[in-house]
Amino acid sequence: MKQHAIFYLIVTGLILAGLALTWMRYDQLDIPLIPRDQVPVWLIESRVDFAASGDSVLVSLSVPRNPPGFELLTEQSASPGYGFSMIEGQETRRGEWSIRQADGNQRLYYKAQFIPVSDRSASYRPQTPPAEPRQVLWQEPEATAASQLLGLAHSRSSTTASLTRELIREIASSEPDQNTALLLDGMTPTRLLIRLLNQAGIPAREAMGLRLEDARRNQSLTPLVDVFVDEEWQIFDPQT
């Protein structure tokens, strides 16, 4: 009789554990409970190619944490002979491959799966405010052009996000004014946007983004701009 009670307790515990795991997958990962409901899963693969010269090698690759609107499901690396570690920083996350000696052509792989998350399952995580941006130094006539361009954008905006959009509108215009054309003559739109935002005291940095497209391979990274808005980093496309 006692053995039967223990058996029933174990079975009940397993059932409760299974139900708890199922609910957690539904609540946190948006995995559906109803049969034949489907959730899209994005598979992102990155390949690093380089030539080693017989010395020790340390390869560092920026990898995603949980991009807005997505949740990291699984990740793995393929690197025969290499040691691999995941380095968690305050604002960044990097994968590092290392080996004592390597020679010739080398190829490393990183693969991750992401699922879209709904507003119900997405959680807000406040981020540590970055340091004040460094002082931006211009030479004339670029200094005057930058001040006038910032002044124009300020007059048409009221928040950090709207200021960023106004600057992008001026920089990406098919017919830029004289100030914008002068500044774009010596730098990319991405770099110009970052410098103008930093001059306004707004933390901004370059980010390399990957546009998710079904069955798309050999895709290049796209330069984007990360702007600290309302206690979090938000991504802006300097072209649009």
Side-chain angles (χ1 to χ4, degrees):
M1 187 68 179
K2 186 177 180 180
Q3 292 181 345
H4 289 171
I6 294 176
F7 171 77
Y8 288 130
L9 284 175
I10 293 175
V11 171
T12 303
L14 291 174
I15 292 174
L16 292 176
L19 291 174
L21 180 60
T22 300
W23 176 256
M24 184 187 69
R25 287 161 59 88
Y26 168 75
D27 184 60
Q28 297 185 11
L29 301 179
D30 261 4
I31 296 177
L33 297 176
I34 302 174
R36 288 188 289 275
D37 274 5
Q38 295 184 353
V39 173
V41 178
W42 289 96
L43 173 63
I44 300 174
E45 296 177 319
S46 178
R47 192 182 79 191
V48 181
D49 293 316
F50 63 96
S53 58
D55 297 325
S56 60
V57 172
L58 179 64
V59 177
S60 182
L61 175 70
S62 179
V63 297
R65 195 189 304 264
N66 280 319
F70 293 88
E71 189 82 21
L72 177 62
L73 190 60
T74 63
E75 63 181 344
Q76 63 186 94
S77 69
S79 48
Y82 281 78
F84 180 77
S85 300
M86 195 64 69
I87 310 299
E88 298 280 353
Q90 184 175 0
E91 297 179 356
T92 60
R93 186 168 177 265
R94 308 187 68 84
E96 283 192 356
W97 291 266
S98 59
I99 193 172
R100 180 64 59 184
Q101 185 178 19
D103 190 20
N105 294 328
Q106 307 290 306
R107 179 167 292 178
L108 307 176
Y109 290 94
Y110 170 81
K111 179 170 67 175
Q113 288 184 324
F114 291 87
I115 58 173
V117 293
S118 63
D119 294 337
R120 174 184 58 79
S121 59
S123 58
Y124 173 73
R125 291 182 293 271
Q127 300 178 18
T128 304
E132 290 292 325
R134 295 180 180 179
Q135 183 181 6
V136 179
L137 301 177
W138 303 88
Q139 295 182 346
E140 292 293 352
E142 286 82 1
T144 300
S147 296
Q148 292 180 356
L149 181 55
L150 264 177
L152 177 63
H154 266 296
S155 67
R156 297 176 178 175
S157 63
S158 58
T159 63
T160 298
S162 60
L163 174 63
T164 303
R165 289 193 292 268
E166 288 300 321
L167 287 173
I168 291 175
R169 184 174 289 112
E170 293 294 328
I171 294 173
S173 173
S174 58
E175 296 182 359
D177 60 19
Q178 291 183 349
N179 291 327
T180 307
L182 174 64
L183 295 170
L184 284 173
D185 186 50
M187 66 185 70
T188 64
T190 301
R191 186 58 188 158
L192 175 57
L193 178 60
I194 293 173
R195 285 178 64 87
L196 289 171
L197 289 171
N198 288 166
Q199 181 173 338
I202 300 172
R205 62 192 182 189
E206 184 175 6
M208 303 303 291
L210 180 67
R211 301 187 185 277
L212 296 180
E213 297 182 32
D214 191 19
R216 178 78 180 272
R217 291 187 175 273
N218 300 323
Q219 186 174 355
S220 299
L221 296 175
T222 302
L224 302 170
V225 176
D226 233 359
V227 184
F228 199 73
V229 180
D230 298 331
E231 299 184 4
E232 65 177 354
W233 289 100
Q234 294 186 16
I235 295 177
F236 291 82
D237 188 335
Q239 300 296 330
T240 64

